[in-house]
Amino acid sequence: MIRHTAMAVLLLLSEPSAVHAQGAGSPRAGHQVAREICASCHAVEPGQYHSPRQQAPSFERIARVPGMTTTALTVALRTSHKTMPNIILEPKELRDVTTYITSLRERR
């Protein structure tokens, strides 16, 4: 798992557009992407803690993982997961949704 994650990070860092895009997203647009694409499995709304799929963490829970950044989320969303469908987001959608998720860290 660690080797797989390290390879994904190296791949991300070798792609200049992904690094340049870090933090450049729109939380409002990301919220809309989350509602349209992610909400069937994840709790995506602020203050919503129970996801439609029990094993899918809420976006607020993801946002509060220590060290969670838009870069870490980008790597995670570009890496296949056994329990998550391989959803392909356009680069702007990816920036927006990762910015939205990290924005939830500040809410309480």
Side-chain angles (χ1 to χ4, degrees):
M1 174 72 174
I2 291 173
R3 192 171 98 194
H4 185 70
T5 302
M7 286 182 4
V9 169
L10 287 174
L11 184 65
L12 175 67
L13 293 176
S14 69
E15 187 176 324
S17 64
V19 174
H20 177 68
Q22 181 179 347
S26 162
R28 174 180 265 167
H31 188 199
Q32 188 60 38
V33 170
R35 284 178 169 170
E36 293 171 7
I37 298 174
C38 311
S40 61
C41 296
H42 293 274
V44 301
E45 299 298 328
Q48 182 184 17
Y49 301 106
H50 300 288
S51 295
R53 295 193 77 133
Q54 185 176 356
Q55 68 273 31
S58 72
F59 275 20
E60 282 196 13
R61 183 172 163 204
I62 293 168
R64 291 193 175 98
V65 168
M68 186 57 66
T69 63
T70 57
T71 299
L73 282 167
T74 299
V75 170
L77 289 171
R78 287 186 172 172
T79 305
S80 295
H81 296 78
K82 289 181 181 177
T83 58
M84 187 172 142
N86 287 327
I87 295 171
I88 304 200
L89 299 172
E90 295 296 324
K92 182 181 181 333
E93 291 174 321
L94 184 60
R95 285 191 306 272
D96 292 342
V97 80
T98 57
T99 300
Y100 171 65
I101 293 170
T102 57
S103 77
L104 295 172
R105 183 178 350 180
E106 279 91 57
R107 298 182 188 247
R108 276 248 166 157

